[in-house]
Amino acid sequence: MNHEEKPAEENVTRLMEFVLVGFADMPHLRWFLFGLFLSIYIIILMSNGTIFLLTKLDPALQSPMYFFLGNLASLEMCYVSVTLPRMLMDLGTQRRRISLIACAIKMYFAFLTGGAECLLLAVMAYDRYVAICHPLHYPLIMNHRLCVQLVTGSWITGIPIDIGQTYKIFSLSFCGSNQINHFFCDIPPILNLSCVDTFINEILTYIQDVFFGILPFLLIVGSYSKIISTILKLPSATSQAKAFSTCSSHLIVVVLFFGSGIITYGRPTTSHSGGTGKVFSLFYSILTPMLNPMIYSLRNKDVMMALRKLLCNSMLFKRLS
């Protein structure tokens, strides 16, 4: 941790911009990475956009489960749009400079969307818990009003916390190097640039990790432990296998997203390796949004049927026009 004496005022340079190092240490892979990340971004937008559209248009996908799924898809598109366009611009132009204000805004929205996804994943686990463990009461418990409240809560809960965290970080004095060893404005590499004590900021970061990371993860584990216990009591082996397959897919994404996030933000800032941090960040910020439509949706028969109907209607419309 940065427990250094604050330098004399004349030795502190008030930085007004940063340089996102990103993948500048791999210039020979610049255009390959640009093409790779552009392809991934297009896939994420198209796949999640399709899922969101299906859950809004198809009458068969109007249950609470698909309501949450549509919101997750829209959240994924917002989440990746905070970081990927900037990364692509830096790879393409090699400019890499970002103002302090722009960096703070991007950090805030990264916090907001990332925290909202953690909470929404916990909400989705609760929805499955009620559906499997209390099927007779499911329509009564998971009514439309509660679903809207849960989704709204996932989005807005982090607003005051994230504003306070971002303000606290960018109120620090930065001196010396202005190079952020990351592809977006993240907490650990920015704290490493501060020339004053960051102990309070690190404590606040750990509290934020607990609230948006560990608690939702524990709720998910608790929900799925109840779900698995109920599934084991099912008389049909086929039903058990199908349910276990669905649970395992969900838990893989949860472990991937929460695991990489907790490892990234749960370590002391002094133990952060730039390369390691970037790798873990790629997992939870890019890989999971790309895999989620396949894991949560494309293996679902109702979603696949809705997709076929949408494609058939589109082809019919083209022929008639």
Side-chain angles (χ1 to χ4, degrees), residues 209-255:
D209 291 342
V210 170
F211 188 81
F212 290 106
I214 295 176
L215 287 181
F217 182 72
L218 292 177
L219 290 174
I220 292 171
V221 172
S223 297
Y224 271 96
S225 64
K226 294 287 187 180
I227 290 171
I228 292 172
S229 176
T230 302
I231 290 173
L232 290 174
K233 298 175 184 177
L234 295 175
S236 169
T238 304
S239 299
Q240 288 182 353
K242 183 178 179 181
F244 273 124
S245 175
T246 303
C247 291
S248 63
S249 298
H250 188 182
L251 288 176
I252 287 172
V253 172
V254 167
V255 170

Side-chain angles (χ1 to χ4, degrees), residues 61 66 242 297-308:
L61 303 181
Y66 296 114
K242 183 178 179 181
S297 308
L298 298 182
R299 296 177 62 187
N300 184 293
K301 292 181 179 179
D302 293 334
V303 174
M304 291 303 297
M305 189 175 297
L307 181 59
R308 290 191 191 99

Side-chain angles (χ1 to χ4, degrees), residues 98-133:
I98 184 170
S99 69
L100 187 142
I101 294 177
C103 191
I105 291 173
K106 285 190 173 292
M107 177 181 283
Y108 167 73
F109 281 107
F111 287 166
L112 182 64
T113 52
E117 180 159 352
C118 293
L119 297 177
L120 189 56
L121 287 172
V123 166
M124 293 175 72
Y126 174 72
D127 172 69
R128 291 298 84 206
Y129 159 74
V130 176
I132 295 175
C133 300

Side-chain angles (χ1 to χ4, degrees), residues 130-146:
V130 176
I132 295 175
C133 300
H134 304 283
L136 298 179
H137 298 93
Y138 181 72
L140 182 63
I141 297 174
M142 300 304 296
N143 56 71
H144 182 69
R145 180 181 178 182
L146 178 63

Side-chain angles (χ1 to χ4, degrees), residues 7-165:
E9 190 67 29
E10 60 269 16
N11 294 331
V12 176
T13 303
R14 186 67 180 177
L15 298 178
M16 298 307 296
E17 68 174 11
F18 296 108
V19 175
L20 291 168
V21 174
F23 302 97
D25 55 342
M26 296 183 285
H28 55 292
L29 295 176
R30 171 188 170 191
W31 291 112
F32 169 77
L33 292 174
F34 180 86
L36 176 64
F37 290 133
L38 178 61
S39 301
I40 290 174
Y41 188 43
I42 292 172
I43 290 171
I44 291 173
L45 292 182
M46 290 184 64
S47 57
N48 284 285
T50 300
I51 297 303
F52 176 78
L53 191 63
L54 291 175
T55 58
K56 294 300 179 185
L57 297 180
D58 196 284
L61 303 181
Q62 300 307 308
S63 67
M65 180 177 71
Y66 296 114
F67 174 74
F68 294 133
L69 190 59
N71 278 277
L72 178 65
S74 64
L75 180 58
E76 296 283 27
M77 290 188 287
C78 296
Y79 185 45
V80 298
S81 295
V82 175
T83 56
L84 263 177
R86 174 73 205 201
M87 189 199 305
L88 292 171
M89 186 186 78
D90 290 341
L91 283 169
T93 65
Q94 293 290 286
R95 182 174 174 269
R96 303 202 308 273
R97 293 185 178 275
I98 184 170
S99 69
L100 187 142
I101 294 177
C103 191
I105 291 173
K106 285 190 173 292
M107 177 181 283
Y108 167 73
F109 281 107
F111 287 166
L112 182 64
T113 52
E117 180 159 352
C118 293
L119 297 177
L120 189 56
L121 287 172
V123 166
M124 293 175 72
Y126 174 72
D127 172 69
R128 291 298 84 206
Y129 159 74
V130 176
I132 295 175
C133 300
H134 304 283
L136 298 179
H137 298 93
Y138 181 72
L140 182 63
I141 297 174
M142 300 304 296
N143 56 71
H144 182 69
R145 180 181 178 182
L146 178 63
C147 292
V148 171
Q149 289 174 341
L150 289 172
V151 169
T152 304
S154 299
W155 276 96
I156 69 173
T157 298
I159 291 178
I161 299 173
D162 297 335
I163 289 176
Q165 174 76 303

